[in-house]
Amino acid sequence: MLNHFRQTFTTLRKTRTVVNGLRFVWVITFLISEYFVFYFAAQKCSSWPRTINQSFNHTMSNLNVINTPEKVASETFLLIGDPQITDAFSYKRTGILQTLTEYYSDRYMRRNYKLLTNILQPQTVFFMGDLMDGGREWDDEGWYKQTERFMRLFKTSAKMQFMAGNHDIGFGNGVTTFLQERFESVFGPPSYGLTTNTPYSIVVLDTVSLSSSDPAVRQKALDVLYGPLPPSPRILMSHVPLYRPDTEWCGPYRGRQNPGTIRQGRGYQYQNLLTEELSRQILERVQPIAVFSGDDHDYCEVTHTYKYGAGYGYNADNVNDNYNENTSNNGGDGEGDGEKNNGINSGASRNSGTRAAASNYDILEVVEMSVPTFNMAQGVISPGVMLLDLSSGIGVKLCWLPDQISLFIGYGCLAGLSIGVLAIVHGWRWIRHRQKTSSGFKTLEMADERLMMYSRNSSIKNALGYFARDVCNVGSVAIVFYIFCLLVF
């Protein structure tokens, strides 16, 4: 009897050791996955790119831009692409599934944003459009509730700049002046020029409205594009990427390498790229040394060319005249042949005589970088952000954020492993118990078939009961600590 008690106690102690070991594994897993993975991702992104990015060297040298400006000042931007907060218009989900999707996508962005802004301390946070997923679809009551939710997610002491995306106000002929005005009432104008504490300035263009044929819709964007621009050198910001051939490779840092390009495509309230003509006009008018865009949700880096020289870009002697002619002739429906595409070619073609007469121009290259989405629920494995530092040239850095879906899959695998380990432990314990019980019956010559069957059934029930108890013991600790992580991190 004493020997049997010792064996039972030893078995229970070994089982308790396994349970405590699994509890420890779960606590460490949640601590790493719910905090340190995100902390180290932000820490890896912590140094600002103080040196000039090599991608912009050629354009800057052709434009005689000094890499180390005389007026050295700190000017740092955190570029956030397509946060596109998940809402009722995102997926065909209802009930608890929709609530969980919104909760976890919000939590993912809030946690990354808090860590990045605390560690990086950016002077300006630049949102590259598509602030919410169903912005263009909401009525006023729903839209203002979503804007409050957006502001709660992205609290910061830094200055905030916004762009309008197709999910905010629509695209092309889907844009209305009502949607534009509603967006502007909270987030400011969709098109504007921005000066910095450095020699560089920024031109933000509402290209989703510029793609409309409605003169009233594109008017404010035209006011910025054809009005006096901020001083050179300029950086262009556009929500929709500029045109490029379908075969133009986005580079090795793109997450989706099949096919690894952004191809032109159109659908309800979206267009993957601006038209070739609109892209050309914007580049020749703004004369940028760098271009940043969003919309695609993945990183993409391509090089564009444009004409630079007499008759191109900003010319104080003739641009106002051309702009006045263009706006005065936009009173029609805006739909016409190729010479009046989007209502912008009209003004551009009037300047074409000057261009034709000007033989002294250069073909410049400019790099466009598309900022990846910030949201885990937008079809990419790893969301990301970009850092833009104008303190001593144009420094750019791409930072990838954790893959939340893989973390969830990891939790599922660990749950399966935990159940499997406990099943093996209790299965082995049951087998050992059965062997000893059978041996005891034979020794006592009590091998009554009914009695042995009853003993076996009892041991199976006991084993299953102990197994369920230990699963609950491990699971309860894991769940409690996970809730702690949700509340604290």
Side-chain angles (χ1 to χ4, degrees), residues 237-402:
M237 301 281 194
S238 166
H239 174 69
V240 182
L242 303 181
Y243 174 83
R244 78 288 308 270
D246 287 347
T247 56
E248 189 81 14
W249 188 42
C250 285
Y253 300 112
R254 183 173 176 83
R256 296 173 292 189
Q257 285 294 339
N258 186 17
T261 62
I262 302 178
R263 298 179 177 179
Q264 182 64 289
R266 298 174 179 83
Y268 172 69
Q269 296 280 30
Y270 80 88
Q271 185 171 297
N272 293 342
L273 301 168
L274 298 180
T275 64
E276 183 175 8
E277 178 61 18
L278 178 56
S279 300
R280 179 190 67 77
Q281 292 175 44
I282 291 173
L283 287 174
E284 292 183 358
R285 176 71 182 94
V286 178
Q287 305 276 289
I289 58 172
V291 180
F292 294 93
S293 59
D295 189 62
D296 182 63
H297 294 185
D298 204 348
Y299 179 75
C300 185
E301 181 175 334
V302 297
T303 301
H304 304 284
T305 59
Y306 65 89
K307 294 179 180 179
Y308 174 81
Y312 293 90
Y314 179 70
N315 186 326
D317 295 332
N318 61 23
V319 71
N320 289 329
D321 292 338
N322 290 331
Y323 171 67
N324 290 334
E325 290 182 40
N326 183 43
T327 55
S328 66
N329 284 279
N330 278 340
D333 59 9
E335 299 179 358
D337 57 20
E339 287 297 313
K340 294 185 180 180
N341 182 38
N342 294 329
I344 299 177
N345 286 350
S346 175
S349 62
R350 290 183 176 89
N351 200 24
S352 61
T354 307
R355 294 177 180 173
S359 59
N360 184 23
Y361 63 83
D362 296 318
I363 301 296
L364 294 189
E365 293 182 347
V366 61
V367 174
E368 177 185 353
M369 296 181 177
S370 295
V371 182
T373 181
F374 196 64
N375 192 335
M376 59 169 269
Q378 292 301 323
V380 295
I381 296 175
S382 295
V385 296
M386 292 188 70
L387 310 183
L388 174 62
D389 189 348
L390 304 181
S391 303
S392 55
I394 300 182
V396 178
K397 185 176 182 179
L398 171 64
C399 301
W400 293 112
L401 302 176

Side-chain angles (χ1 to χ4, degrees), residues 203-224:
V203 176
V204 178
L205 278 182
D206 176 12
T207 48
V208 296
S209 296
L210 272 178
S211 300
S212 172
S213 62
D214 185 347
V217 166
R218 63 175 180 262
Q219 186 62 53
K220 289 185 178 180
L222 287 173
D223 289 341
V224 173

